[in-house]
Amino acid sequence: MFEYKSLSRRLASGICAAALVAGCAGLLAAEPGNSQDRVREDDGDRTARALERAERDAARAAERAARDEARYAEDRARILERDSNDPERQQRELARLEEDRAETLAKAQEEAAKDAEDFAKELAKAQEDAAKDAAERAEDAAEYGSSSDMRDLAADELPDYDERGFPVRRGEIVGLSLGESALERLKESGFEVLSRQELPALGSWLHRLQAPAGQDASTALQIARGAEPDAVFDYTHYYGLQYTPAGAGASSAQGSLPRKEGRLTIGMIDTAIVSHPTLSDVSVESRDFASGDTVPKAHGTAVASILASEGTSKLYVANIFRTGRTARPYTSADTIVDALNWMVLQKVPVVNMSLAGPRNAILDRLIEQAIGRGTLIVAAAGNGGPSAPPAYPAALPPVIAVTAVDRRGRVYRYANQGNYITVSAHGVDEPAANALGGITRFSGTSFATPHVAAWMARCQQRSSAQSCARRLRRSARDLGATGYDPVYGHGLIE
């Protein structure tokens, strides 16, 4: 005799258990990341709905089992009482009842198996969708960078956040080279022109646009792009330094660095700098593009000293960083644009940059224009670690992206890796000026970049920018895997 009720409940319980295990696996497979909360919720919702349906199916199966068990008990009691004087008939009726019960159980088993199959298909589809979402997020991160370490940038300006979680200036977007008719249409849509930045060296101008009342930057950007599909719009993204300076040891009393021969002219878009013995033979022209009471100087001073040691005699310094409540230096896309325009206006042949942030359509276009006008840009590849997505602007195709290695040719353990890495240079325990005095050793791709910037500036004294870019790759000493690789790029520049 079958224990129908017990078996049905075990089937229902099995469906639920399978649902919970698979559902948890689906939830755990969702990729973490500050900018993906909404996507993770969608993935979890799909799995949760599959779990809820499985639980409802199991509950219905248990209810049917209880009803069938009660009906079986009633029918059996009635047969035993009614046919107590006719044993043969009683046995026939009981046998028929058991056959009906077995048939009902078999049907219940089929339905339970079908429920389990449907659940498995639904959960597989939910997990497939989650995997697809994860792949799209990974591709998106590879294209635009990661926001996970940037959420607190510019906190004192109460930023909005774009769809990828990057901080952007609240209620504001920027447009590149907008004509009067386009501006009038945008004004009719409720936008207000906050400023127009002339960029004569780049042959462009930049409009800062205040979003209509009640709109955040994300909504405003969608409306502007829909209204003027041929124009270039983007957020006013915030950017951070690639590295917060921290020496590998105490500062030494020594106040100078070995210096190569040379009369190089180089620009750096970085923090401000302080007077230091390492810069005593360098003609420095500085311009402050950042607003704020606190101006960081440590990072820029260290980078400037390495440029000086490489033979730089004329240095253009554009300070674009300010420090907010979090004490993390930050800047914004419009400030970077201003500094870049100044560098091109000064006919600086090579610009050294150490920024970290998202891809931005405005910066993409203007960096391309700057390089087209003969200003090469050398940028730090990033210090997010081997699995970090690309750092911008280093990952832009026209930019020379530099990673850091130690004196034994081993890559810096926190250096980004990827197919955008161009070359390597020494940047681990690298001696550089301490803004408080003396020399300190620093590590990071920021401190490898000036070696390559100087190499390019030296090359450009006798060759074109395009020729120097080709020679850079040919001159690199191969490291790591034979030929180009995403760890060392084309190899070491010394």
Side-chain angles (χ1 to χ4, degrees), residues 367-454:
I367 285 174
E368 181 180 345
Q369 290 177 2
I371 294 174
R373 284 166 167 76
T375 298
L376 285 177
I377 296 175
V378 182
N383 304 297
S387 61
Y392 287 88
L396 292 176
V399 175
I400 296 169
V402 183
T403 191
V405 299
D406 63 17
R407 293 291 164 175
R408 296 173 62 183
R410 298 173 301 187
V411 71
Y412 178 49
R413 61 177 175 169
Y414 297 122
N416 285 28
Q417 297 179 14
N419 290 328
Y420 70 100
I421 305 297
T422 309
V423 291
S424 313
H426 294 136
V428 179
D429 288 342
E430 198 67 6
N434 187 320
L436 300 177
I439 303 296
T440 301
R441 292 186 177 274
F442 297 89
S443 294
T445 59
S446 289
F447 309 107
T449 303
H451 295 298
V452 177

Side-chain angles (χ1 to χ4, degrees), residues 5-132:
K5 183 174 181 180
S6 174
L7 182 54
S8 294
R9 284 179 174 171
R10 287 200 300 272
L11 286 169
S13 177
I15 295 172
C16 287
L20 287 170
V21 170
C24 288
L27 289 171
L28 290 172
E31 178 184 344
N34 290 337
S35 64
Q36 306 298 339
D37 292 340
R38 185 172 61 251
V39 180
R40 288 206 315 274
E41 288 172 6
D42 292 342
D43 294 344
D45 287 346
R46 286 193 290 265
T47 305
R49 286 194 294 270
L51 286 168
E52 289 171 1
R53 277 189 283 274
E55 289 170 355
R56 287 197 299 270
D57 290 342
R60 284 195 292 268
E63 290 173 2
R64 286 196 300 270
R67 289 195 301 269
D68 290 343
E69 184 70 11
R71 189 181 308 111
Y72 166 79
E74 291 174 1
D75 290 346
R76 191 171 189 280
R78 186 171 56 254
I79 292 171
L80 290 174
E81 180 180 356
R82 185 191 63 195
D83 300 326
S84 59
N85 296 324
D86 190 346
E88 291 185 6
R89 180 180 177 182
Q90 185 181 72
Q91 287 303 314
R92 287 196 305 273
E93 292 297 324
L94 288 174
R96 188 177 297 113
L97 179 62
E98 293 300 334
E99 289 176 2
D100 291 344
R101 190 185 190 198
E103 183 179 342
T104 300
L105 177 58
K107 184 177 180 182
Q109 289 175 310
E110 291 176 4
E111 290 176 353
K114 182 65 167 59
D115 287 342
E117 181 182 355
D118 290 345
F119 168 74
K121 289 179 179 178
E122 186 174 4
L123 185 61
K125 181 63 167 63
Q127 292 175 327
E128 180 184 346
D129 291 343
K132 183 178 179 181

